[in-house]
Amino acid sequence: MLTISTTHHETSAEVSAVPMRTCVGCRATEPVQVLTRVALQTVEGSTTAAVFDEQRTLGGRGAWIHPGKDCLDKALKKGAFNRAFRTRVTTDQLVIKT
């Protein structure tokens, strides 16, 4: 016997629009409230450095990461910031405050 489900499916208008981003360290998708934004900042003339953008006010391309040492270590090991920013960047300034 064939059973047809008549459950209500949410339409796109009924679903709240929560922006989702992917962590560059572990590749998990999370709401933006859970992740920390990393942005590029020019230092010493022409060198670009990745810095934490906790207020999310820096312009340009951003990368998102879970706050914590595990995901940061994974991202640094994989070169994920270079890939996310599509250029070579200095990550020396990315330090987790404990």
Side-chain angles (χ1 to χ4, degrees):
M1 175 178 206
L2 178 64
T3 308
I4 298 174
S5 174
T6 58
T7 59
H8 175 71
H9 294 285
E10 296 178 3
T11 64
S12 60
E14 295 172 329
V15 177
S16 64
V18 177
M20 302 291 281
R21 299 292 183 264
T22 301
C23 173
V24 294
C26 68
R27 305 296 300 160
T29 302
E30 300 277 358
V32 294
Q33 296 85 355
V34 176
L35 301 171
T36 301
R37 184 173 188 265
V38 177
L40 290 182
Q41 206 170 42
T42 302
V43 292
E44 299 175 11
S46 63
T47 305
T48 55
V51 295
F52 288 113
D53 182 16
E54 295 178 26
Q55 273 68 43
R56 301 177 185 156
T57 56
L58 295 176
R61 179 175 289 277
W64 297 84
I65 192 161
H66 284 108
K69 189 164 173 36
D70 292 340
C71 285
L72 179 60
D73 289 343
K74 287 179 188 177
L76 293 173
K77 183 177 180 181
K78 295 189 299 188
F81 291 109
N82 292 334
R83 191 168 37 259
F85 292 121
R86 299 179 184 172
T87 188
R88 180 160 278 309
V89 296
T90 304
T91 55
D92 299 340
Q93 296 182 17
L94 289 179
V95 178
I96 300 292
K97 298 173 187 171
T98 56

